[in-house]
Amino acid sequence: MHPLVRDLYKRVLLVGKDYPHPGGLSYVRSTWKTALRNPANCPAYYNPNSTLQEKERDVKEAVKKGRFMVKEMMGVIQLKKYRALKKRYGGSEREVEEEMERIQGFLKNMDR
C-alpha cells in the first residue's frame, strides 16, 4: 500500500469515530475500504502498461480527493455537534436578546 494512501486511511478512521451514521466507525471503515480498492478511483495504478510517473500522479490525485472527503466528513460532524448543542442550550434569537437586556438593566441598577 502506498504511504499516502495509508496515511489517508488513518485520517479517515480517526475522523470516522464521530461520524453521524447508525453504523458509525464500521460503516466508514467498510465504505472507505471498498472505495480504496475500487480500480475506477485510480485507473493507472491497476493498469500494467502505465508508467511509474502516471501511477504516482493518479495516486496523488486520488489522495487529494480523499483528503477533501475527510474535510467534508469533518464538516458533517461539526454540524451534528452544533445542532445538538443548539437543541440542548439554544433558544430563539429574541429570547437571547431579551435576557441580555434584562442582565444589562440589572447591572445598571447595581451601579446606582
Side-chain angles (χ1 to χ4, degrees):
M1 181 183 285
H2 197 279
L4 290 175
V5 176
R6 187 179 310 117
D7 179 58
L8 177 66
Y9 188 66
K10 286 180 182 180
R11 290 179 192 215
V12 166
L13 293 181
L14 186 66
V15 171
K17 291 177 184 177
D18 295 329
Y19 194 70
H21 187 272
L25 183 61
S26 61
Y27 169 77
V28 171
R29 182 180 289 132
S30 65
T31 55
W32 274 84
K33 275 188 178 182
T34 57
L36 288 175
R37 294 176 179 156
N38 188 357
N41 292 331
C42 195
Y45 197 76
Y46 292 96
N47 185 1
N49 297 329
S50 62
T51 64
L52 185 61
Q53 289 82 14
E54 292 173 343
K55 290 180 181 182
E56 282 291 319
R57 187 189 68 231
D58 261 12
V59 167
K60 287 181 181 178
E61 287 178 16
V63 168
K64 184 178 176 182
K65 291 177 185 176
R67 286 184 178 165
F68 176 76
M69 293 305 298
V70 169
K71 290 177 186 175
E72 289 289 319
M73 287 174 57
M74 290 171 63
V76 169
I77 292 167
Q78 288 175 352
L79 181 62
K80 174 197 163 201
K81 289 180 180 180
Y82 169 76
R83 286 182 177 166
L85 286 173
K86 183 162 179 146
K87 183 178 178 183
R88 192 174 304 143
Y89 300 111
S92 68
E93 191 75 24
R94 198 171 89 185
E95 291 175 0
V96 172
E97 289 176 6
E98 290 173 358
E99 184 67 19
M100 288 296 292
E101 289 175 7
R102 188 184 68 78
I103 292 171
Q104 287 174 350
F106 177 74
L107 292 174
K108 285 180 184 176
N109 291 334
M110 282 182 62
D111 290 339
R112 292 181 187 168

